[in-house]
Amino acid sequence: MVARAPLVMVGGTVQELPAADTLITTDLPLRTRTLSFSNGGQGSGLSSYLTTTNGRAVTGTNFGMRWPFRLPADATSYTVKVRNYDMFASTNGAAALTLDGMTIGVMTPPSTGGAQTGNFNGGAGTTLAGSGATIPNTTSFLSISGVGMLPEGVDHVLGLSFHAAASTTLIPGVGQCWYWNNTTSAHNPSVAASGATSAAQFPFLDIVIEYTTTNRKKGVIVFGDSIPEGAQGTNFYTQGSANLQPTPLHMSFLRQWERRAGVMVQPHCLFASTAQMWANSSYGGYSRMSTSGGAWDAAIVTLGCNDIAGGTTFATLQGYYTSVINNVRAIVGNSVPLYALNIMPESFATGANSKEAYRYSMNGWLGGLPAGVTHCIDVDSAVRGWVSSGGTLATNTMDLSLSCDAIHPSYQGSIRLADAMMAAVL
C-alpha cells in the first residue's frame, strides 16, 4: 500500500501535504465534564431590593412553578437538585416543603416573535417524582436523577408542585418562572401556562440542573454578583423608572456570550453578593454547585460594585478581591487564564474619597492585572453613556438605554456586555 499525506489547500490548489510541512490539529480533545445550570440561588438581597420596586416574594401554603432552562451542551445524564435556602444570608429557609410532583419536558416553541410559552410541548413530559419527598430548607438538596438525555440549545421546562405545613413566604432568586398557587397545575403537562397565577415571577426555590456532557467545548467558571447572574429588564430611558424584570437565565449576558463563543459557562453568581463575602473560602457560593468535574479552561471574576455601594474603601476592597482570586486559583489552578471584569457605573457620588473615586481606583488596579489576573475586560466603557436629562455625558452613570435601573443592564445592555465579552478571546 502506498503511504499518502493528507490533502490540503496550497496556493488555491488541493494537493498532498508538502513533506516539509506539519499538519496542526486545531480540534480540542473530547472531554467529559460534570457541570451545573442555575442562578445563584434564593437571596434575601434580591427580596429586599424588590420590596422597593416590584415585590416578587410569594406567600401561601400551596405552590407550583415552571422553570425554563436551556443547556449549552448535550447532557448524557442529569440530576435535578432542589432546596429552600437563603443563599445570600447563608441561613435556612422559612420551612421545609413537601413535593407534590416534578415533571420535565421540552417547551412548546413560541410563535414568531412571541415570548416563551411555558407549555410542555405536545402536552407531554417525563415524570421525575411523585408526591411525598421533602424539599430541605437547609444547605442540603433534594436530588432526583433524570431520565434520558437533554439536548443542547433546546428550551426545556421543569414543573414542580409542593406545599408547606403552614403559610410560608418563599424568597426569590434571579430568573423567571410561571407561578401557580396550587399543587396540581405546574407539573401537569396538559395544563397550559396561560392559566398560571403569574407568568412573570422570579423563581422562589433554589434549583440546580447538574449534568454530564462529553464534547470539545471549553468550560468557563464565573464568580460574581447580580449582573453576570442575569438580573436585567426593560430600559430605564423609555420607562422612566426601575424595571428589573423576571427574565429567563439564558438571556443573561454570560449565556448570550456562551452561545456566541461556543463555550460552556458555570456561573457562581448571586444578587447583592460582595467580594467581602466571596473572600471567605468557606462561603457557600463556592460549594453550592460542584466545581471538581469542570476541567476548567478559564475563570472569570466580576465583583466589587456591591462592596463600593456599601461603603467599602478602595484599599479594603483590594484585599477582598485578592482573597477572591486566591480562592478561585485554588479551584482552577495557576495555569488557567483568569479574567476580571472591571466595575460598571452605578451613579455613585463623585469627588475625593468618594464611592466613584474608589470605583475608578479599582478599575485602574484591575487594568494593571494584579494578583494573578491574566486579562481584564472593560465592561465599564461598554455601558457608560448619556444620561436622560440635560444631554451631558456623566462618567459615573450607565447609558440609560443600556440599563433597566441605572445599576443592572437592560435587554439591550446585556447584548452590549456580550459584545464586550466577545472581544476577549479565550
Side-chain angles (χ1 to χ4, degrees):
M1 180 179 292
V2 177
R4 299 190 181 278
L7 294 178
V8 294
M9 182 76 75
V10 179
T13 303
V14 176
Q15 64 179 61
E16 290 188 3
L17 182 73
D21 291 346
T22 301
L23 190 66
I24 299 175
T25 300
T26 57
D27 284 342
L28 294 172
L30 280 171
R31 287 185 178 178
T32 298
R33 313 176 197 243
T34 298
L35 304 174
S36 294
F37 181 98
S38 186
N39 57 11
Q42 296 162 275
S44 53
L46 173 61
S47 185
S48 299
Y49 177 87
L50 292 176
T51 59
T52 60
T53 53
N54 52 354
R56 297 284 178 170
V58 294
T59 300
T61 303
N62 299 324
F63 307 91
M65 62 185 292
R66 286 187 189 168
W67 185 71
F69 66 96
R70 183 190 296 178
L71 299 184
D74 291 340
T76 53
S77 63
Y78 66 95
T79 299
V80 178
K81 302 167 66 176
V82 187
R83 66 181 182 180
N84 176 30
Y85 181 77
D86 185 346
M87 191 67 247
F88 177 77
S90 298
T91 58
N92 291 345
L97 307 166
T98 302
L99 186 69
D100 289 288
M102 180 186 296
T103 306
I104 197 168
V106 174
M107 190 188 303
T108 303
S111 58
T112 302
Q116 287 193 308
T117 64
N119 293 329
F120 286 89
N121 197 31
T126 299
T127 299
L128 296 182
S131 61
T134 297
I135 299 173
N137 64 326
T138 64
T139 56
S140 299
F141 283 94
L142 168 64
S143 296
I144 298 175
S145 297
V147 177
M149 69 167 290
L150 302 174
E152 172 185 343
V154 174
D155 287 318
H156 287 83
V157 63
L158 177 71
L160 306 98
S161 299
F162 50 96
H163 66 271
S167 183
T168 301
T169 297
L170 303 179
I171 59 176
V174 166
Q176 179 255 331
C177 73
W178 291 261
Y179 158 62
W180 282 265
N181 56 5
N182 64 61
T183 61
T184 58
S185 299
H187 71 283
N188 185 342
S190 66
V191 174
S194 58
T197 307
S198 172
Q201 194 80 24
F202 288 97
F204 43 90
L205 277 183
D206 188 343
I207 304 174
V208 176
I209 306 289
E210 186 175 86
Y211 63 99
T212 300
T213 184
T214 301
N215 57 52
R216 301 182 190 277
K217 292 185 177 185
K218 290 184 176 182
V220 182
I221 191 168
V222 184
F223 300 91
D225 45 39
S226 57
I227 295 173
E229 187 182 20
Q232 57 188 302
T234 52
N235 77 73
F236 191 97
Y237 185 83
T238 56
Q239 299 295 319
S241 60
N243 283 282
L244 192 68
Q245 296 293 324
T247 305
L249 293 176
H250 74 265
M251 289 180 61
S252 74
F253 83 86
L254 275 180
R255 294 293 182 187
Q256 293 191 50
W257 167 71
E258 169 187 65
R259 292 191 291 277
R260 290 201 223 171
V263 300
M264 300 175 296
V265 174
Q266 181 168 300
H268 295 243
C269 303
L270 179 65
F271 195 101
S273 66
T274 61
Q276 182 179 7
M277 293 166 62
W278 291 94
N280 181 352
S281 61
S282 298
Y283 172 57
Y286 288 112
S287 57
R288 175 177 168 269
M289 298 184 293
S290 175
T291 61
S292 60
W296 306 110
D297 297 289
I300 296 172
V301 175
T302 168
L303 288 162
C305 58
N306 292 323
D307 300 82
I308 294 174
T312 301
T313 65
F314 166 53
T316 301
L317 183 52
Q318 279 180 299
Y320 293 153
Y321 212 104
T322 300
S323 294
V324 172
I325 292 170
N326 291 336
N327 294 339
V328 174
R329 282 293 182 201
I331 293 170
V332 303
N334 293 322
S335 61
V336 168
L338 190 154
Y339 293 74
L341 274 60
N342 62 11
I343 301 174
M344 291 163 44
E346 288 196 12
S347 303
F348 292 141
T350 60
N353 298 317
S354 65
K355 293 180 180 180
E356 183 66 359
Y358 296 149
R359 187 179 76 87
Y360 265 82
S361 294
M362 273 299 295
N363 286 352
W365 181 67
L366 291 173
L369 307 181
V373 172
T374 314
H375 308 283
C376 184
I377 302 174
D378 185 12
V379 292
D380 170 34
S381 297
V383 297
R384 268 191 282 124
W386 297 92
V387 295
S388 58
S389 64
T392 56
L393 186 66
T395 59
N396 69 326
T397 305
M398 289 181 70
D399 182 326
L400 296 186
S401 67
L402 301 178
S403 175
C404 66
D405 57 2
I407 299 172
H408 302 94
S410 64
Y411 301 129
Q412 180 183 352
S414 290
I415 296 170
R416 176 68 66 85
L417 292 172
D419 293 343
M421 294 292 294
M422 287 300 294
V425 180
L426 292 173

